[in-house]
Amino acid sequence: MREGLNSTHLNGVVAVTKAALRHGVLHHTGDSDPAERSHIDLMSWVITGLRHRQSRRALGEYHTPPDISDLISAMLAADRRPQADAFLEPTAGTGGMVRSAAQDLRREGQDPSDFPWVMLELDPLSAAGAAVNVHVWGLGPRAVAASGDVLADGDLDQQARAHRRDMARHRDLLVELIGFAIATRTSDQLLRSLLAQQPNAHRRTDDRPTGAT
């Protein structure tokens, strides 16, 4: 985030983090198996719970209950095609329907991280929750969560994936630069260490008795 956070915001982040840990968030997100981390959409509960009821009404924010999304995913399972360009959810919220579809794939013996996922959402906060869920649910490096109006911007999914590719290239460039910087620093330290040892070697040679070998 580019905008600065004042002490009030930072204290709020600390308080929310402590409350989440105190109430057992790691029971839902701390397992090494992504399937075990995908039983619920925790971000949905967090975001809707933190918002005032009037704000939810103004936004028209009503996330699909997990049981309903599981049922819809099961009904649509026959229409899923692994070779599809992407699993696209244009009104994703925090990704509840995607969670159900990913779990169905796991039950079929497939790995959701092998497929591209695109989650689009008008509300930036919910889209941020979907981005968190990408990692929690193990949806893989090709998964995209973006905020925008799919009705006003018909190719929003293409824009989101293009942006992801640009960010991946930028990340790879930074990794290369960091690797080069580390290698350069290591080489410099080795060279300094060798040069520091040279005067001592000359001194030991000069101090040897005449005729010594």
Side-chain angles (χ1 to χ4, degrees):
M1 298 176 64
R2 294 185 178 181
E3 61 269 22
L5 295 177
N6 59 36
S7 59
T8 301
H9 291 148
L10 292 174
N11 290 336
V13 170
V14 172
V16 170
T17 301
K18 288 183 176 179
L21 292 172
R22 187 168 58 251
H23 290 283
V25 65
L26 293 181
H27 291 302
H28 303 291
T29 63
D31 200 287
S32 60
D33 183 356
E36 294 300 319
R37 302 196 302 265
S38 303
H39 289 306
I40 66 170
D41 180 0
L42 190 61
M43 293 305 302
S44 174
W45 293 101
V46 171
I47 291 174
T48 57
L50 289 176
R51 277 193 176 132
H52 191 275
R53 184 180 302 173
Q54 292 181 348
S55 298
R56 294 200 298 272
R57 287 178 178 174
L59 290 169
E61 183 180 38
Y62 299 98
H63 293 195
T64 305
D67 291 344
I68 301 300
S69 65
D70 289 345
L71 176 61
I72 293 174
S73 179
M75 293 172 64
L76 296 176
D79 295 329
R80 282 200 298 268
R81 296 292 182 268
Q83 67 272 22
D85 182 46
F87 288 98
L88 173 63
E89 170 55 278
T91 54
T94 53
M97 287 296 300
V98 167
R99 181 200 66 80
S100 296
Q103 289 292 75
D104 277 345
L105 286 174
R106 289 187 174 106
R107 282 189 284 271
E108 295 167 5
Q110 301 184 74
D111 186 349
S113 66
D114 290 337
F115 306 104
W117 303 85
V118 180
M119 292 182 282
L120 307 177
E121 170 55 37
L122 180 62
D123 173 48
L125 185 57
S126 292
V132 172
N133 282 333
V134 164
H135 300 284
V136 173
W137 297 337
L139 297 183
R142 291 187 292 169
V144 178
S147 176
D149 189 341
V150 295
L151 297 179
D153 202 346
D155 65 342
L156 183 61
D157 61 322
Q158 299 295 330
Q159 294 180 38
R161 282 190 277 180
H163 181 68
R164 187 201 64 80
R165 289 192 293 269
D166 289 342
M167 294 299 294
R169 283 193 290 267
H170 182 64
R171 175 206 61 204
D172 293 341
L173 176 60
L174 289 178
V175 169
E176 288 183 13
L177 291 174
I178 291 172
F180 178 75
I182 292 174
T184 301
R185 182 176 180 180
T186 302
S187 299
D188 181 67
Q189 290 174 341
L190 290 172
L191 180 60
R192 289 176 181 272
S193 176
L194 289 172
L195 291 175
Q197 295 174 11
Q198 291 302 315
N200 294 333
H202 288 311
R203 186 166 54 250
R204 285 195 298 270
T205 300
D206 295 340
D207 291 345
R208 285 185 298 182
T210 303
T213 59

